[in-house]
């Protein structure tokens, strides 16, 4: 039924149809271009407003540099709000992993610029005298409209940034981190009055005023439409309910759901949704769980590993329990595919979205299934092997070393040689990877070294 670790994966016939990848590439290019164009426009208006000439003296130079830092920081703050607004066209083009990475870069960069704006412009108002900075800061906060609100917003942004540092994320539960992260919206919102009342570049140029208003309206509108409105509409339309909970292995179970008009839900195999089950611990914060079966228009299935209080409690869900959801999200789908040959590489519960992909995908599809003792979905993969000519290579056992993603049953060769032996045509395949973050990083490095182009490597991590 399934192949063993000693067998190799060959090729098969059948060429599937590819759509979406070229459009997504164009969207990524357009999004990046729009960001840089916006920053260039902000800089141009700063120059046109005397930003360069203001550098001729120490005090005026501090004020001028402070304004530029504030303008660029504000633009990047709004850009990161748009990045995380779950705009469908952006989600499809980038995928959640890439969006989160860009969001993190934009977030820390914008915060650094905002902090630089506060420090440098206060120094400028202190006539360049460090000893006068505390007095100047107090005068700005108490006498200038909107500055106190902007300071409160900055505090919210700092709290968000601190909770996003890797060391802090390791100490926080996902639910707590998610709640703290919502303060970013409050921080951005509190900055608007300051920009309206005291922002020189915001007010003096009609084009700049239109630009900033359009950016603010786009950010607020995107959040209201796609983070609030669309989930409400979809939950009312589909009314998802739990039908049954089935154990899959030790600490892993599948939740089956049904609802109304599920054929209208644009969910694809490989995607995940943010789930809330009222009455469960931490239910007010959404938890991301992947679909573990290809959507059929009648039901959905997620497979969950009990890693925390919220996920463990789902094992006791009663039939009829209401399920609230956001999404679907993620780019680990057939839409990203550009080759007729595909390799799916999953570890542990990370095999769940790949199990759904294996069901949906046509053409030459193979699976490397990494697990320690018992594989998930062994019987289901056996059916797919028989019915769809799927090839599955089981890779059981403990990891053979900290720098290897393979099990101890593999021959004692380096990972690149082992991967090429298992999949001789690996360089010609589209590769989808899902599993723990450190493990997927090792798989990624191995696949790249084996000749897989970076644009054909698609990864989704269980990370936040």
């Amino acid at each position: 039924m399934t192949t063993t670790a000693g067998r190799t994966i060959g090729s098969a016939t059948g060429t599937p149809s590819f759509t979406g990848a070229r459009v997504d590439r164009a969207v990524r290019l357009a999004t990046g271009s729009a960001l840089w164009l916006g920053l260039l426009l902000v800089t141009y208006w700063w120059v046109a407003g005397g930003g360069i000439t203001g550098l001729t003296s120490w005090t005026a130079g501090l004020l001028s540099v402070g304004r530029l830092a504030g303008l660029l920081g504000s633009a990047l703050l709004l850009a990161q709000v748009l990045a995380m607004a779950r705009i469908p066209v952006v989600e499809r083009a980038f995928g959640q992993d890439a969006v989160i990475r860009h969001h993190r870069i934009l977030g820390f960069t914008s915060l650094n610029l905002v902090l630089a704006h506060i420090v440098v412009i206060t120094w400028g108002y202190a006539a360049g005298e460090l000893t006068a900075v505390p007095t100047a800061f107090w005068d700005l906060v108490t006498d200038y409209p909107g500055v106190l609100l902007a300071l409160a917003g900055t505090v919210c942004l700092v709290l968000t940034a601190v909770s996003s540092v890797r060391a802090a994320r390791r100490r926080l539960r996902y639910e707590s981190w998610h709640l703290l992260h919502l303060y970013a919206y409050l921080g951005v919102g509190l900055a608007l009055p300051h920009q309206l009342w005291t922002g020189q570049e915001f007010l003096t140029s009609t084009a700049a005023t239109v630009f900033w208003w359009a950016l603010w309206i786009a950010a607020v509108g995107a959040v209201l439409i796609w983070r609030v409105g669309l989930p409400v509409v979809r939950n009312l339309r589909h009314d998802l309910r739990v039908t049954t909970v089935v154990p899959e292995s030790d600490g892993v179970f599948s939740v089956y759901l049904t609802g109304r008009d599920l054929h209208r839900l644009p969910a694809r195999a490989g995607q995940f949704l943010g789930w809330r089950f009222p009455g469960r611990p931490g239910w007010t914060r959404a938890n991301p769980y992947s679909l573990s079966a290809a959507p059929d228009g009648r039901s959905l299935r997620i497979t969950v590993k009990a890693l925390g209080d919220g996920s463990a409690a789902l094992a006791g869900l009663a039939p009829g329990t209401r399920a609230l959801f956001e999404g679907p999200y993620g780019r680990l789908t057939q839409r990203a595919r550009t080759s007729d040959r595909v390799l799916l590489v999953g570890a542990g519960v990370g095999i769940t979205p790949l199990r759904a992909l294996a069901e949906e995908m046509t053409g030459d599809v193979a699976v490397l299934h990494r697990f320690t003792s018992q594989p998930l979905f062994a019987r289901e993969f056996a059916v797919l092997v028989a019915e769809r000519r799927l090839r599955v290579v089981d890779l059981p056992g403990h990891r053979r070393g900290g720098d290897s993603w393979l099990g101890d049953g593999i021959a004692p060769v380096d990972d690149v040689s082992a991967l090429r032996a298992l999949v001789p045509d690996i360089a010609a395949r589209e590769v989808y990877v899902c599993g723990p973050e450190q493990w997927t990083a090792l798989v990624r490095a191995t696949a790249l070294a084996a000749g897989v182009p970076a644009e054909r490597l698609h990864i989704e991590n269980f990370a936040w």
Side-chain angles (χ1 to χ4, degrees), residues 28-320:
R28 291 194 294 272
L29 177 61
T31 302
S33 300
L35 175 61
W36 283 109
L37 178 60
L39 296 177
L40 286 173
L41 275 173
V42 166
T43 305
Y44 165 75
W45 286 319
W46 171 78
V47 172
I52 296 294
T53 57
L55 300 177
T56 54
S57 69
W58 174 243
T59 299
L62 288 173
L63 293 172
S64 184
V65 171
R67 283 197 298 271
L68 178 61
L71 289 167
L72 294 175
S74 297
L76 291 177
L77 277 176
L78 293 172
Q80 71 164 323
V81 171
L82 286 168
M84 293 304 290
R86 307 288 169 83
I87 303 171
V89 67
V90 176
E91 284 284 324
R92 287 194 298 267
F94 286 90
Q96 270 290 292
D97 273 13
V99 168
I100 289 173
R101 285 196 303 272
H102 292 312
H103 168 70
R104 194 167 290 154
I105 293 170
L106 290 173
F108 283 110
T109 305
S110 61
L111 178 61
N112 288 334
L113 286 167
V114 168
L115 293 176
H117 165 71
I118 295 172
V119 172
V120 175
I121 210 162
T122 303
W123 196 359
Y125 275 100
E129 299 292 335
L130 285 175
T131 55
V133 166
T135 301
F137 180 75
W138 178 256
D139 290 341
L140 286 171
V141 171
T142 56
D143 296 340
Y144 283 74
V147 173
L148 181 59
L149 290 177
L151 180 62
T154 302
V155 172
C156 292
L157 293 173
V158 170
L159 289 174
T160 304
V162 169
S163 69
S164 298
V165 174
R166 188 179 297 272
R169 295 203 313 271
R170 281 197 291 261
R171 294 174 178 270
L172 288 171
R173 296 170 57 215
Y174 171 79
E175 292 82 3
S176 301
W177 172 86
H178 187 274
L179 183 61
L180 286 171
H181 216 64
L182 294 178
Y183 281 99
Y185 290 109
L186 179 61
V188 174
L190 289 175
L192 177 58
H194 164 59
Q195 213 174 16
L196 281 171
W197 294 329
T198 62
Q200 174 181 321
E201 285 79 2
F202 189 87
L203 299 172
T204 57
S205 166
T206 301
T209 302
V210 170
F211 169 83
W212 284 109
W213 270 113
L215 194 55
W216 274 101
I217 291 171
V220 174
V223 170
L224 292 177
I225 292 171
W226 286 297
R227 291 302 299 262
V228 180
L230 187 58
V232 169
V233 169
R234 284 180 172 168
N235 278 280
L236 292 174
R237 173 189 295 161
H238 299 298
D239 189 27
L240 282 182
R241 303 280 174 167
V242 174
T243 58
T244 186
V245 178
V246 177
E248 299 287 357
S249 67
D250 187 25
V252 179
F253 49 90
S254 290
V255 180
Y256 290 77
L257 306 105
T258 190
R260 296 191 301 260
D261 299 328
L262 289 185
H263 63 281
R264 299 177 62 187
L265 180 66
R268 298 291 302 273
Q271 291 188 304
F272 68 92
L273 297 91
W275 296 93
R276 294 178 174 89
F277 296 91
R280 304 290 106 184
W283 76 269
T284 56
R285 275 86 68 190
N287 284 274
Y289 300 125
S290 296
L291 298 174
S292 58
D296 59 8
R298 300 182 302 275
S299 64
L300 300 173
R301 185 182 77 176
I302 58 174
T303 300
V304 180
K305 184 176 178 64
L307 296 174
D309 296 341
S311 57
L314 300 189
L317 288 173

